[in-house]
Amino acid sequence: MKIFVSGAFGNVGSHVISELMARNHQIIAFDIDNPSNKKKARFFSTNPNFMVNWGDIRRLDDLLEPISQVNSIIHLAAI
């Protein structure tokens, strides 16, 4: 299953991604582009089922393309 995870690099999001990877799901991670999140993304980037889309959850244009590719959404982003 291909799953979109918003807030992917927060405390909960990182654990969710790890569990989804263990279950062999494809993941589109979505979070704000900043140095801390980029560092966390590098940790997961060796998995071929992992992809990152950087953006702002408040901007529809940032979301339309990545969510059009998935079967499910796990929404963990918070402002």
Side-chain angles (χ1 to χ4, degrees), residues 29-33 37 52-59 62-63:
F30 184 86
D31 216 323
I32 295 171
D33 185 358
N37 288 345
V52 177
N53 277 94
W54 300 110
D56 187 327
I57 196 76
R58 299 171 295 178
R59 291 197 317 243
D62 290 354
L63 296 167

Side-chain angles (χ1 to χ4, degrees), residues 6-41:
S6 68
F9 304 115
N11 187 42
V12 175
S14 295
H15 286 90
V16 167
I17 289 173
S18 293
E19 184 61 29
L20 293 173
M21 285 182 168
R23 296 177 185 216
N24 294 316
H25 291 292
Q26 293 180 301
I27 301 157
I28 297 180
F30 184 86
D31 216 323
I32 295 171
D33 185 358
N34 64 37
S36 175
N37 288 345
K38 282 190 171 188
K39 182 178 179 180
K40 291 177 185 177

